[in-house]
Each structure stands twice: as C-alpha cells, then as structure tokens.
Amino acid sequence: MNQPRLRFGVIGCAEIAERRTIPGLLAHPEIDLVAVASRQADKAGRFAQRFGCAAVQGYDHLLEDADISAVYIPLPAMLHAEWVERALLAGKHVLVEKPLGSSHFQAVELTELARGKGLVLLENMMFLRHSRHRRVAELLADGAIGALRGLTSTFTIPPKPPDDIRYQPTGGGALLDIGCYPARAAMYFLGPDLTVDGSVLRYDRSREVVLSGAVLLTNSAGVIAHLDFGLEHSYRSDYELSGSTGRLTVERAFTPPPTFSPTVRIHRQSGTEEIVLPPEDQFLGMLDFFVDAVRGAADPSPSVDETVGLARLLDTIALRAHTVYTRHGPYSDPGFA
C-alpha cells in the first residue's frame, strides 16, 4: 500500500534552502513542499512564487499548520536549538542544518526531547549519505593501503561578503559551520572516541567569531588525525588516509554537486589506481533516509548518537583551543595578519 507523501515546511529563506534544499524537496517523489516561512513577508512571497508553495510570515505560524508534518530548518547556527525545540513541541519531525545546536548540552536535550515525543530529528550532515565514503571504508577494510596510520582533512572556503551570516556571532563561525565536516570525517574513519590533543582557533578580533582553525586528534589505537578548516582561504574540500603500504585521497569530499563524478585515488609505490564512481545527489540521499526514518523503515538512532558525539567533540576542540586573533576580518585587504 502506498503511504501518503510527507508534507514539509521550510523555516527560513537561507541561501542553501534556495540553492539546494528546496529544489531537492521538490524533486523527491515522496515529499510535498507545503510552505516556506520568513520573518519578512516579501521574502517568503518571493520563495513561494518561485517554488510553487504557500508563503507564511512568521516561523510560529508555519508550526501551527496541522497540514505540515515535517520541517526543514536552515536558520543561522545559533538559532537552531530554539526552533528545533519549538518544532518538536509542535509535533513536527525535524531536519535541521548542521550544527544541531551550539553545544553538546543542547544536542543532548534536543535529541532526548525528540525521542520522548516519538519524532525524527536529524542533522543534515549530508555528505555521509554519499556512497563513496562507504566505498572508501570498504577499501580500508580490504587492506587497500595496509594498516591505517593517519587521516588529514581540509575544508576551507574563500571569504564571503562582510555582511555574510558566517561572520556574525549568530552564524556560529568556522568551527561549527565548516570545521564540523572534517571532524565528522575523522569520526567516520577513526571511530567516535577521539582525543583532542591540540587545537588552534583564529578569531576575528572585531567580531569575536572563529575564522579558521586546526585540530590534532588521536583514537584509542593511536591513529592520528589532522584537520584544517576556515572561511578565509582558497576552496578545498578533501581528505587523505595514510596507511602502511599506501595512501588514499578523496577530493571535493563534502559538498560535491549532484553531477560530479567522484574519483577515489589509491597511491602506492607501484603507481596510482583511480576508481571513478557515478554522480550522486547526496541531499536526495539524506531525504531518502529522513523519509524512511519517519515511516519506520530506517533506524535513525545511530545517526542521532553520532550527532551528539560530534557536538561533544566540537565542544572539546573549542575548550582546549589556543586562540589567536586577526587585526582585521577576511573581507579586508589580502595582506591582513
């Protein structure tokens, strides 16, 4: 028997919602986009006209709509916890952009609230839904590079305009917005129990926002991970796994477009092997998982536990960080120090 389509509302008219998420919701065969909410009526109207749904002024008004059973929340990072809680209390399933909250404490509270109400709450760490990372894990398990010795991962993006939300305290800064990706990759390949051996966070002195950072981690087996991230660099999105007999590299690891054909490269003494995989839309993969979880066809508990573990890791990175300050933000002259 066919089940009814999942009826979605979107809380906030963020760039990622316009560029990736709402087109993904519209493309999914088991989802109906009902409404988009904004605090500004004209912004909600523009989105609604473009995407063929209702416009709602005010996030609370969207949550009052009994016709909506699930919401997607792409608000600035520091607003996630408030609106995830409100959505859960309104009886809605929730897909929220990373991070789920601004702290481990918030992540625990929200996931316990969702479990208590029998609702699905998932953080949109969508790169994990791309099958190439499972393929990499299989190669490691098969001994493609021998015994695993280390991981390095980098996610950096060029400076945005000065008024970009990432440079505001409500945006969460580089650690929560960008650093979560390589940190989550380290958990994926090295396991959830990671020790923070050192971290450096570079702040914009004028705004008290993290612009970039570096982290050193180890797991219980002594495998080392080195992570770099930031909002003030040329674009990089990759990871490399080093082993006793070779190394494995993955480029455009975290935000590939749906048309991108990923290549996994295995470098050995004898040469380089390339494994080219078909294009894949990782956001549609995330939506598939969310829909299955709502319908009881998939268990979201492991993903929820990993989200809480990531929040704990990010808290520890911030707590143990050595802090350095810039004199100017990344939007000033290229020679800033």
Side-chain angles (χ1 to χ4, degrees), residues 23-95:
L25 292 170
L26 292 172
H28 198 282
E30 299 178 71
I31 289 174
D32 284 329
L33 177 63
V34 177
V36 174
S38 173
R39 289 171 171 162
Q40 302 171 15
D42 57 343
K43 184 178 285 188
R46 177 173 63 83
F47 268 60
Q49 183 175 27
R50 177 177 174 184
F51 296 113
C53 64
V56 177
Q57 184 177 8
Y59 306 149
D60 278 322
H61 290 154
L62 184 142
L63 293 177
E64 292 167 358
D65 188 340
D67 197 36
I68 291 173
S69 55
V71 295
Y72 167 69
I73 301 177
L75 297 171
M78 306 306 280
L79 301 180
H80 288 181
E82 174 187 354
W83 288 100
V84 167
E85 181 180 24
R86 291 192 185 197
L88 292 172
L89 291 174
K92 314 297 186 188
H93 303 286
V94 178
L95 177 63

Side-chain angles (χ1 to χ4, degrees), residues 175 183 194-201 213-219 224-229 313-323:
L175 177 60
L194 297 171
T195 300
V196 179
D197 298 297
S199 62
V200 178
L201 297 179
V215 181
L216 189 67
L217 308 170
T218 51
N219 69 3
I224 299 168
H226 180 269
L227 318 178
D228 291 292
F229 55 91
L313 178 60
L314 295 175
D315 269 9
T316 307
I317 289 169
L319 180 66
R320 299 189 179 176
H322 170 67
T323 301

Side-chain angles (χ1 to χ4, degrees), residues 86-164:
R86 291 192 185 197
L88 292 172
L89 291 174
K92 314 297 186 188
H93 303 286
V94 178
L95 177 63
V96 59
E97 272 305 317
K98 45 74 194 164
L100 169 58
S102 60
S103 68
H104 176 244
F105 176 78
Q106 286 184 345
V108 170
E109 279 202 324
L110 294 170
T111 54
E112 288 182 352
L113 176 62
R115 283 185 174 125
K117 289 188 163 294
L119 296 168
V120 173
L121 168 61
L122 288 176
E123 180 182 63
N124 188 30
M125 191 65 73
M126 58 184 165
F127 86 91
L128 296 170
R129 299 297 153 191
H130 200 295
S131 63
R132 64 172 156 167
H133 308 296
R134 294 192 296 275
R135 179 71 177 121
V136 170
E138 291 167 357
L139 289 167
L140 290 176
D142 291 341
I145 58 171
L148 184 60
R149 302 296 192 221
L151 174 147
T152 61
S153 182
T154 298
F155 191 18
T156 56
I157 63 173
K160 298 288 185 180
D163 60 350
D164 190 277

Side-chain angles (χ1 to χ4, degrees), residues 199-268:
S199 62
V200 178
L201 297 179
R202 175 178 164 96
Y203 278 79
D204 177 348
R205 185 182 296 277
S206 64
R207 303 192 186 197
E208 287 295 323
V209 172
V210 177
L211 296 176
S212 58
V215 181
L216 189 67
L217 308 170
T218 51
N219 69 3
S220 58
V223 179
I224 299 168
H226 180 269
L227 318 178
D228 291 292
F229 55 91
L231 303 167
E232 49 180 351
H233 308 69
S234 61
Y235 177 82
R236 277 188 66 184
S237 171
D238 55 46
Y239 60 77
E240 176 177 296
L241 294 153
S242 301
S244 56
T245 62
R247 58 190 177 90
L248 187 154
T249 58
V250 174
E251 297 177 349
R252 302 198 72 171
F254 303 122
T255 57
T259 56
F260 178 69
S261 295
T263 300
V264 177
R265 293 181 174 86
I266 304 172
H267 309 270
R268 303 186 182 92

